Amino acid sequence: MATSTTASWADLWDQIDILASHTQKGIESLEKYGMFLKERAAIEDEYAARLRALVKKNLGKKREDEELTKAYTFISSFHSILHEVESLAGQHEVIAEGLRKDIHPALLTKCAALRAARKNHLNELHIINGVLNASIDNMFKFQKNYCKTFKDAEVAHLKYDKAEKNMDLSRADLERAKNNAMQRTQICEDAKQNYAHALQAANQQQHQHYSQLLPQILERLRTVDEERISETKSLMLQSIEAETKVMNIIQRCYDDMKKAAQLISPLNDSASVVEHYRSGYAHPQPFTFEDFGSPSAIITSEGTSSVETMKRPTKNGSMVRINRKPSMGLFRGNNHSRKDGTIDFRSYPPQQRCRRLQHEIENIEKEIAKNQQSREGAAKMLQVYKDNPKLGNASDVDSEIIVYTKKCEVLNQQLAKYKAMLSEAQTELNIPISVIGYVHSPLLMLAIVHDYRKAIKRSFS
């Protein structure tokens, strides 16, 4: 609502109590805004803490989770988004810190200063009102005295007039009545003069009060109120600035989230499934037909079936008896950690074993390169110390070079062993694997037929 720019609080000379209440409520309003900022900061802190807890809950710490993060784009993108959410939490903490540590204390300080200024100006109003009231009371006191002396003079004149008309009074009594009337008249005149002076002083004080003193104090009170309003505006803008100054960072977080989501590739993820779970075995060989001959041959073979006991050829050509319930395990047992610190990864199929061995080889090669660089740096430092012994002790550097050399030797030994295991694992790639099951295994079919023939023989015996 538009208001006149020439309006003055001096026009509210008769609304002092309302102005006092208005300024009090204004300061309380500013303090209320300060409480809002304090609670807002607490909410921002709580929101940031809950975001961090949510991120921590969804970020896996196991080694398997790290491998999945590297393997699949949808998981790596999700983890990238989680990290950006953690950055968002940090920005909300920045907002909370700005509100709590910068703006809120300044607001409390300003409220205290405004309260002190308001109290001081109200005290000034109380003082000038006291002076004016004292002047007016003094005027009324002299007016009352003048009224009393005037009535006394009137009574004295009435008595003198009555005495003049009374022929029985002596001349001395008449003279006393006359003197009394004149004396009362003089007293009344003096009281009148005093009343006139008091009236003039009260009018002057009242004029000064309403034309100078009161307007000046009211304007100072108005200045305090306007300062409070300006401070409210400034603090609101600062609180908004505390949020807007991190908006660019927050927007970058959202942009990075969007980029991370756009990096998800269904084709790459489906290819990663093949890479991580392909066993490396070839398809099973075709089944061969087993001809058991004529069933009537059992009569002429003295009860012995022509089907020999089923055996499975081993790698060296010998025969071993087949277990009727073969194990469903396709691989060769658990991983074995050797004394030299290497792991053979024998629990994995050939393809996965090769992949893990290759990963170990790459890590060892990086470690070897790192140690070689450290050794070369130590060698240069050794030469510097030999040229200028004041810079350092060459023997200390020499011992470091020995440590690096031994470590490189150990790593090279491990590298050779891993490469040998990799070569071994590569020889197992694309080897056909038999399908294990009661229906599809031809060897088990032979066993079933053999047992069936024995059952028939017993039934006819």
Side-chain angles (χ1 to χ4, degrees):
M1 182 178 66
T3 57
S4 174
T5 56
T6 59
S8 172
W9 277 26
D11 297 335
L12 303 176
W13 60 271
D14 57 344
Q15 303 293 335
I16 302 301
D17 292 339
I18 293 178
L19 290 179
S21 176
H22 170 76
T23 52
Q24 173 67 21
K25 291 180 179 178
I27 296 175
E28 290 175 353
S29 175
L30 182 57
E31 290 176 336
K32 184 178 181 181
Y33 182 68
M35 184 59 65
F36 162 78
L37 293 180
K38 183 179 179 180
E39 294 178 359
R40 171 70 186 280
I43 291 174
E44 292 289 346
D45 277 332
E46 181 183 1
Y47 179 59
R50 297 186 69 175
L51 281 181
R52 290 188 182 278
L54 182 63
V55 170
K56 184 178 180 181
K57 177 181 177 182
N58 286 274
L59 278 178
K61 294 184 177 180
K62 297 181 180 179
R63 185 175 180 181
E64 295 82 0
D65 296 329
E66 295 179 359
E67 293 180 355
L68 290 176
T69 302
K70 297 177 181 178
Y72 300 108
T73 59
F74 69 92
I75 297 181
S76 61
S77 295
F78 177 53
H79 282 200
S80 298
I81 291 175
L82 288 176
H83 289 303
E84 294 303 326
V85 171
E86 191 172 18
S87 298
L88 286 178
Q91 298 310 310
H92 284 283
E93 289 173 344
V94 171
I95 294 174
E97 184 176 4
L99 296 178
R100 183 177 56 255
K101 292 186 177 181
D102 298 334
I103 301 176
H104 185 253
L107 185 146
L108 294 180
T109 302
K110 192 62 181 179
C111 284
L114 291 173
R115 281 189 178 279
R118 173 183 175 275
K119 182 179 180 181
N120 182 46
H121 296 326
L122 291 180
N123 287 336
E124 291 177 348
L125 283 175
H126 180 72
I127 291 173
I128 65 171
N129 282 332
V131 172
L132 177 61
N133 291 333
S135 179
I136 293 174
D137 290 343
N138 186 59
M139 178 199 69
F140 283 128
K141 183 181 72 173
F142 281 105
Q143 183 188 44
K144 183 178 180 181
N145 184 55
Y146 169 57
C147 182
K148 180 178 179 298
T149 57
F150 183 81
K151 289 181 179 180
D152 291 342
E154 284 182 331
V155 171
H157 278 283
L158 288 174
K159 288 181 178 181
Y160 173 65
D161 182 67
K162 185 177 180 180
E164 272 188 325
K165 294 178 180 179
N166 190 354
M167 302 303 294
D168 296 333
L169 290 177
S170 63
R171 189 173 184 83
D173 292 334
L174 182 62
E175 189 65 26
R176 281 196 298 271
K178 180 180 179 181
N179 290 335
N180 184 49
M182 293 178 63
Q183 184 180 6
R184 293 294 179 182
T185 300
Q186 185 61 42
I187 293 173
C188 178
E189 190 64 28
D190 292 340
K192 181 179 180 180
Q193 291 297 325
N194 291 334
Y195 167 61
H197 290 307
L199 177 65
Q200 184 180 9
N203 286 332
Q204 289 178 352
Q205 185 64 40
Q206 182 173 270
H207 176 74
Q208 185 182 20
H209 177 86
Y210 289 110
S211 63
Q212 296 180 14
L213 300 179
L214 182 60
Q216 290 174 359
I217 296 175
L218 290 179
E219 284 303 310
R220 288 198 290 269
L221 199 60
R222 174 185 179 177
T223 301
V224 171
D225 194 61
E226 289 179 350
E227 184 179 358
R228 187 264 308 169
I229 297 172
S230 298
E231 190 67 20
T232 302
K233 176 182 178 180
S234 175
L235 291 171
M236 286 182 176
L237 292 175
Q238 290 180 39
S239 63
I240 296 171
E241 177 66 19
E243 296 185 59
T244 56
K245 70 180 181 181
V246 300
M247 289 303 295
N248 291 334
I249 301 176
I250 292 176
Q251 185 60 46
R252 284 202 299 271
C253 291
Y254 286 120
D255 292 341
D256 291 341
M257 289 183 193
K258 185 177 180 180
K259 291 178 182 178
Q262 290 174 343
L263 291 176
I264 297 177
S265 173
L267 294 178
N268 291 341
D269 286 350
S270 61
S272 295
V273 174
V274 177
E275 179 183 354
H276 281 77
Y277 298 111
R278 183 173 57 186
S279 66
Y281 290 112
H283 293 164
Q285 294 291 338
F287 296 116
T288 58
F289 180 76
E290 299 289 342
D291 189 358
F292 301 144
S294 175
S296 61
I298 193 172
I299 300 174
T300 60
S301 60
E302 298 180 355
T304 302
S305 174
S306 60
V307 181
E308 296 181 352
T309 302
M310 292 181 296
K311 295 183 179 180
R312 177 184 297 171
T314 60
K315 291 182 179 179
N316 56 10
S318 61
M319 304 297 288
V320 295
R321 184 176 297 276
I322 296 176
N323 188 354
R324 294 295 178 86
K325 295 182 179 179
S327 172
M328 294 300 292
L330 299 179
F331 314 126
R332 292 174 290 181
N334 298 326
N335 297 333
H336 295 286
S337 297
R338 303 182 179 183
K339 294 182 179 180
D340 56 3
T342 59
I343 304 175
D344 57 15
F345 297 105
R346 290 190 177 276
S347 64
Y348 293 94
Q351 183 68 34
Q352 299 307 313
R353 187 185 179 201
C354 289
R355 188 170 65 86
R356 282 166 172 76
L357 290 172
Q358 184 63 41
H359 180 69
E360 293 294 331
I361 290 172
E362 292 174 357
N363 289 339
I364 292 176
E365 288 176 344
K366 292 179 182 178
E367 190 69 20
I368 291 174
K370 181 179 178 181
N371 276 273
Q372 287 177 347
Q373 290 179 356
S374 300
R375 184 175 61 183
E376 292 173 359
K380 292 179 181 179
M381 188 177 294
L382 176 63
Q383 186 61 39
V384 172
Y385 288 169
K386 286 182 178 180
D387 296 339
N388 191 353
K390 294 181 180 180
L391 296 177
N393 190 355
S395 60
D396 294 338
V397 181
D398 195 17
S399 61
E400 291 182 5
I401 294 176
I402 295 174
V403 172
Y404 287 133
T405 303
K406 290 182 178 180
K407 191 171 182 179
C408 286
E409 291 176 356
V410 173
L411 291 173
N412 282 319
Q413 292 175 2
Q414 291 182 354
L415 180 62
K417 292 178 181 179
Y418 274 117
K419 286 183 176 180
M421 286 188 283
L422 178 61
S423 299
E424 177 190 354
Q426 288 174 344
T427 60
E428 299 177 359
L429 293 173
N430 298 321
I431 295 178
I433 182 172
S434 297
V435 178
I436 298 176
Y438 288 102
V439 178
H440 300 289
S441 174
L443 298 177
L444 289 179
M445 289 177 63
L446 292 175
I448 293 171
V449 172
H450 178 66
D451 291 344
Y452 180 70
R453 285 182 174 178
K454 281 187 176 181
I456 294 176
K457 180 69 175 178
R458 285 194 299 269
S459 64
F460 284 98
S461 61

